[in-house]
Amino acid sequence: MAKLSNSKLEQLAVHAIRCETNKPLSRLVAHIPEGDKGISFDGEIEVFIDDSQTVASLYGSVAVQVKGTEVEIFSQTTRSFSLELGHYENFYSKSGTLLLVVEIIAADHSMRIFYKHLLPQELLYIINTCKQEGRKSKSVKLRPLEETTLDIVCFRFLQEQKYQPPILVEKNPLHEREFDEYHVRSLTYNPYHPSTSNLLEHEFTVYGKMDNLEVPIIFGKFGAISRTVNEVIVVDDTIYDIVTTITLEDDSYTWDFENVFAFTYNQKTQKFHLDQRSFHSLTTQLKVMPMILGLLNGKMVKIGKNEFRINRSEASKFLSDMQQVYKLLLDLKKVYEIYGINEDRVVHEVEGRIPLLKGFVFWTRATLYNDLKGLSLADPNQSCFVNLTIGDLTIVCFYISEEKKLVNIFNDLYYTKPIKLVSKEDPTINCIHSFFVLMNTESFSCAENINYEFIRKSFDNFDPFINQMTYERTIQFCLQCISVYDQINNKDLLNLSDYILRKFKNIIDVDSSDMDDIIVKVNQLQINKRLLGSLTPEEVGFLIDLKSKSSLEKDTEVHFCINVLLDNRYESERAFHKLEVDRKQFYETLPIMNLYNKLMQ
């Protein structure tokens, strides 16, 4: 059968549009000639607010471009149509055009109309895109008219056109301003009609509103739709209540379970993919993992309105790995209990550190099975504290060289046992002390399993000031705690230091000339100053009396510390400058310098 001529196609297309406007309830009048038409415009359709068709009832006129095209079968949903760049530029100068494409089957002259609103915001985007990409034409997608009516299409065109004057679209003076509110509108989306309810298929314009002015900002389609809900998920007869983010994208659904696992399922291909998003917390992992295992075992899964069962053969590549991870999680739960870690603690990956799962594998092996493979020690024959860092979680462990194992030192089996400290200069000089004086600053500042009650009790089993060696190590430990407090602001550190210093047996008064007495008192007072923000009148009086009984020249260090605690800015500075260089350097390492530096600001 011979194809229809272009002129015949145009005649039939115009006839189809006229038939729509001539329907009994239509409030449209078509002025579209069949012969002498313009270059980019085939005519216009007048829109009336009632059927009187008077001057007073005219709502407006819609410029139209009508195209007829011969097809063997009608397009199923939407269809594309290409126009030259010049047409889009002409449409833009007209403040928009309604493009109407009529598909015609020659065999029976049946016809189907498709429409496309072309308004300034989208037209400018098309024009700019063509110029940037060096293209002379571009296709647009049209929707079938049977989803709506030509009356509604034309009315919506005129309603939206008034919000998109080309001068505002092209030279928006408010594009960098913050708007009071934002509106999103579509000329084709209708959630109440089955054929127009898929939000991803439709185009939207975003408007910013300021006072009574709406400004078009951007035009486009949503790539995906997401919502987060407390979803009831049923796997066979087991019910799981899981916070789920559901994302719809084309034919795929993605369920993000508690931000731990993402399960993507394609309805058309019935293929799936499983991704681990994050570890989050042990609580969340143990909540989600049984549901994931049930899903991978091919059990019937119901999520909302979706019900499916995945192919076990396809799931086998995931199932074995997930079973191993679940076994690790059950072991990890025991390790958390041993070390007193809160299972709700969210653990994050940290760039440059070993992956979380690898770190957890080592921790569980070392704790439950005495497998220390991979642990690097300076001296395997020397017991020591070990800071184990997994992501942003740090745990302080204790390595027992005799047993070759890692333990949680905050345990009734270990904390009461004192250690022996030996002088490097004279090995015959030694003393017993608390395990915890071996902990470094990083442990105090970062570790999450520190139990300060255990540390306090460890100092109850001996006299921490019994001799000079013990005294010096105790003071050093207390100063370390105060310094770490200045970093992390944990008052447990100050309370611990205060608890230990109160074990000092000497009665300290202003007549004391023993420097050990004065050091203990100064440290007690700098703790109080941090805890309360200021000293009591009695404490201030004590310092003033002590200062008056000492010499600046002979007791420069005492004067420096007293003046810092009394907030005497200039006297503190004077005393500091009188110190020898090596003593200045020494004081730079002490927490009293933090108070001094704040005083001098």
Side-chain angles (χ1 to χ4, degrees), residues 167-184:
I167 188 65
L168 189 57
V169 170
E170 187 173 353
K171 298 179 180 179
N172 179 5
L174 304 173
H175 69 285
E176 294 182 350
R177 295 284 297 275
E178 286 290 332
F179 291 95
D180 300 330
E181 56 187 80
Y182 295 87
H183 296 168
V184 181

Side-chain angles (χ1 to χ4, degrees), residues 328-341:
L328 169 64
L329 294 174
L330 295 177
D331 280 349
L332 192 58
K333 181 177 176 66
K334 299 174 185 176
V335 175
Y336 266 49
E337 291 173 357
I338 291 171
Y339 279 86
I341 303 300

Side-chain angles (χ1 to χ4, degrees), residues 71 172 186 200 344 416 429 507 524:
V71 297
N172 179 5
S186 171
L200 297 179
D344 293 333
T416 56
I429 302 176
I507 298 175
Q524 286 180 322

Side-chain angles (χ1 to χ4, degrees), residues 196-209:
T196 58
S197 60
N198 185 345
L199 187 144
L200 297 179
E201 293 179 353
H202 299 267
E203 292 158 329
F204 293 80
T205 301
V206 179
Y207 293 90
K209 187 173 182 180

Side-chain angles (χ1 to χ4, degrees), residues 124-352:
L124 185 61
Y125 170 77
I126 292 172
I127 293 166
N128 289 338
T129 300
C130 286
K131 290 181 178 179
Q132 290 168 6
E133 298 176 359
R135 300 170 60 177
K136 295 183 179 180
S137 63
K138 185 172 175 58
S139 294
V140 291
K141 279 193 174 182
L142 297 88
R143 301 195 65 84
L145 187 63
E146 59 258 31
E147 293 177 348
T148 179
T149 67
L150 190 56
D151 284 64
I152 292 175
V153 169
C154 291
F155 268 102
R156 285 186 174 179
F157 180 95
L158 293 174
Q159 286 174 337
E160 205 69 15
Q161 187 183 47
K162 65 184 178 181
Y163 293 106
Q164 297 187 23
I167 188 65
L168 189 57
V169 170
E170 187 173 353
K171 298 179 180 179
N172 179 5
L174 304 173
H175 69 285
E176 294 182 350
R177 295 284 297 275
E178 286 290 332
F179 291 95
D180 300 330
E181 56 187 80
Y182 295 87
H183 296 168
V184 181
R185 290 198 294 272
S186 171
L187 293 173
T188 58
Y189 174 64
N190 180 1
Y192 305 106
H193 195 292
S195 64
T196 58
S197 60
N198 185 345
L199 187 144
L200 297 179
E201 293 179 353
H202 299 267
E203 292 158 329
F204 293 80
T205 301
V206 179
Y207 293 90
K209 187 173 182 180
M210 183 177 294
D211 296 327
N212 293 321
L213 176 66
E214 283 196 21
V215 180
I217 300 172
I218 192 170
F219 173 87
K221 295 175 71 173
F222 290 103
I225 314 167
S226 293
R227 63 186 178 96
T228 301
V229 295
N230 273 346
E231 190 73 85
V232 175
I233 300 170
V234 182
V235 181
D236 274 2
D237 296 326
T238 306
I239 298 174
Y240 301 92
D241 188 359
I242 293 176
V243 176
T244 306
T245 299
I246 307 166
T247 302
L248 172 61
E249 187 173 8
D250 294 330
D251 297 313
S252 294
Y253 280 91
T254 297
W255 293 276
D256 187 322
F257 303 119
E258 301 272 359
N259 198 33
V260 171
F261 288 102
F263 178 76
T264 301
Y265 183 75
N266 190 295
Q267 292 179 307
K268 281 189 176 180
T269 63
Q270 295 187 342
K271 299 288 185 181
F272 78 93
H273 190 73
L274 184 67
D275 286 313
Q276 184 165 9
R277 291 288 171 88
S278 68
F279 178 81
H280 202 263
S281 68
L282 181 58
T283 298
T284 306
Q285 287 280 338
L286 291 172
K287 177 181 178 182
V288 173
M289 186 61 78
M291 185 268 295
I292 294 292
L293 290 174
L295 186 153
L296 295 176
N297 270 305
K299 295 181 179 180
M300 181 60 69
V301 179
K302 185 176 181 181
I303 307 177
K305 297 179 181 179
N306 299 278
E307 189 171 324
F308 56 88
R309 187 196 306 269
I310 67 175
N311 189 312
R312 283 200 66 183
S313 61
E314 292 186 21
S316 60
K317 59 183 178 181
F318 296 102
L319 182 58
S320 177
D321 290 342
M322 290 300 102
Q323 288 171 334
Q324 290 298 315
V325 171
Y326 189 50
K327 181 180 182 304
L328 169 64
L329 294 174
L330 295 177
D331 280 349
L332 192 58
K333 181 177 176 66
K334 299 174 185 176
V335 175
Y336 266 49
E337 291 173 357
I338 291 171
Y339 279 86
I341 303 300
N342 187 345
E343 293 182 12
D344 293 333
R345 203 283 198 187
V346 177
V347 186
H348 300 95
E349 295 274 8
V350 176
E351 188 176 353

Side-chain angles (χ1 to χ4, degrees), residues 14 17-18 21-22 27-34 36-38 40-48 58-66 94 96-100 150 154 157-158 161:
V14 171
I17 302 304
R18 285 177 175 172
T21 62
N22 288 332
R27 295 177 180 178
L28 307 177
V29 174
H31 298 285
I32 309 171
E34 292 183 4
D36 186 19
K37 298 186 292 184
S40 297
F41 306 97
D42 294 331
E44 63 180 18
I45 296 176
E46 291 181 332
V47 182
F48 295 87
L58 179 64
Y59 185 66
S61 297
V62 178
V64 296
Q65 167 78 288
V66 181
K94 191 78 170 179
T97 299
L98 177 63
L99 176 62
L100 298 166
L150 190 56
C154 291
F157 180 95
L158 293 174
Q161 187 183 47

Side-chain angles (χ1 to χ4, degrees), residues 65 74 460 480 505 528 544 553:
Q65 167 78 288
F74 291 135
D460 293 342
Q480 179 187 16
K505 299 295 193 297
N528 291 348
I544 291 173
E553 300 302 325

